[in-house]
Amino acid sequence: EIVLTQSPATLSLSPGERATLSCRASESVSSYLGWYQQKPGQAPRLLISDASNRATGIPARFSGSGSGTDFTLTISSLEPEDFAVYYCQQRSNWPRTFGQGTKLEIK
Amino acid sequence: QVQLVESGGGLVKPGGSLRLSCAASGFTFSDYYMTWIRQAPGKGLEWLSYISTSGSTIYYADSVKGRFTISRDNAKNSLYLQMNSLRVEDTAVYYCARPSSQGGSGYYYFGYWGQGTLVTVSS
């Protein structure tokens, strides 16, 4: 199965700063990678599909990039509501797999 | 609006069985494939299983293959997960999830989730 490794495990930033989260695949997934945000006690929310397509209703400050094995989720200017855990997920192969998550916390 | 409501979770002993249900509303259930995803306490997300619109195609994660069975009843707008031979490590919140859309890249990702149902496996 494809293993997704996210880094860093925890990212401490302040509101207004730029956040850069990484997801690396154990083999190429082409552009078939998505990103989710999860807040405590809530189900995950889809942010990005196929590397760079923002889901409906997702603010423009969220952007995704990458292909092959290396992907990035960028939040251009952090809002207080952006502090959460972020997961990547590949849809290239079965079984689908998720990364272990990056916790974005307030510095 | 799209609603997914899981039920059937609870406390079960190792080796026991449990059947989870997911009641869908607000959309044409038979038009969408469905999945189960779980999250152990304080841990990340784990994709478990996929079932196609008709139920003819099914996939499982290795961790549950041979123990869990996914099924659906399109007439009842319901998704199921039969869980047998449960282990302590199966303790988690179990979510059912639906793709974001019927086409485009959103088809392949999970835009709609239930609130989850907690399964605790403990003696």
Side-chain angles (χ1 to χ4, degrees), chain A residues 14-26:
Chain A
S14 301
E17 291 194 290
R18 181 184 186 89
T20 303
L21 288 67
S22 175
C23 178
R24 175 164 288 178
S26 59

Side-chain angles (χ1 to χ4, degrees), chain B residues 27-107:
Chain B
F27 65 100
T28 304
F29 182 69
S30 57
D31 282 348
Y32 292 85
Y33 74 83
M34 296 294 292
T35 62
W36 286 99
I37 294 163
R38 71 183 177 186
Q39 186 168 35
K43 302 297 184 183
L45 301 169
E46 181 183 14
W47 178 90
L48 294 181
S49 186
Y50 157 101
I51 186 167
S52 63
T53 54
S54 65
S56 60
T57 301
I58 287 172
Y59 297 105
Y60 295 101
D62 286 347
S63 59
V64 303
K65 199 176 297 181
R67 300 188 300 125
F68 290 11
T69 302
I70 191 172
S71 62
R72 66 189 296 161
D73 185 334
N74 287 340
K76 294 184 177 179
N77 293 333
S78 291
L79 175 72
Y80 306 101
L81 187 67
Q82 177 67 42
M83 304 187 297
N84 298 332
S85 303
L86 282 162
R87 306 166 179 167
V88 171
E89 55 265 34
D90 293 320
T91 295
V93 172
Y94 285 72
Y95 295 100
C96 63
R98 197 209 86 170
S100 274
S101 62
Q102 286 183 274
S105 63
Y107 174 79

Side-chain angles (χ1 to χ4, degrees), chain A residues 1 31-34 36 38 42-44 46 48-50 53 87 89 91 94-100, chain B residues 33 37 39 43-47 50 59-62 95 100 104-106 108-111 113-115:
Chain A
E1 73 176 41
S31 62
Y32 302 147
L33 187 112
Y36 298 82
Q38 187 179 32
Q42 296 184 17
L46 178 66
I48 300 287
S49 62
D50 281 356
N53 300 314
Y87 295 95
Q89 177 238 318
R91 64 102 164 169
W94 298 101
R96 305 305 197 219
T97 49
F98 289 91
Q100 83 281 12
Chain B
Y33 74 83
I37 294 163
Q39 186 168 35
K43 302 297 184 183
L45 301 169
E46 181 183 14
W47 178 90
Y50 157 101
Y59 297 105
Y60 295 101
D62 286 347
Y95 295 100
S100 274
S105 63
Y108 300 98
Y109 302 91
F110 315 118
W113 300 62
Q115 84 290 348

Side-chain angles (χ1 to χ4, degrees), chain A:
Chain A
E1 73 176 41
I2 295 175
V3 176
L4 300 178
T5 302
Q6 293 186 240
S7 61
T10 303
L11 184 58
S12 301
L13 294 171
S14 301
E17 291 194 290
R18 181 184 186 89
T20 303
L21 288 67
S22 175
C23 178
R24 175 164 288 178
S26 59
E27 62 185 85
S28 176
V29 296
S30 185
S31 62
Y32 302 147
L33 187 112
W35 291 92
Y36 298 82
Q37 175 195 68
Q38 187 179 32
K39 296 179 181 179
Q42 296 184 17
R45 177 174 71 144
L46 178 66
L47 300 175
I48 300 287
S49 62
D50 281 356
S52 60
N53 300 314
R54 263 191 311 276
T56 302
I58 301 304
R61 63 181 182 275
F62 291 91
S63 64
S65 63
S67 66
T69 60
D70 290 302
F71 298 85
T72 301
L73 174 69
T74 301
I75 310 171
S76 58
S77 179
L78 285 165
E79 297 287 341
E81 62 268 27
D82 298 336
F83 291 91
V85 180
Y86 292 82
Y87 295 95
C88 55
Q89 177 238 318
Q90 63 83 19
R91 64 102 164 169
S92 176
N93 280 9
W94 298 101
R96 305 305 197 219
T97 49
F98 289 91
Q100 83 281 12
T102 289
K103 182 179 182 180
L104 178 56
E105 64 176 25
I106 300 176
K107 188 173 183 179

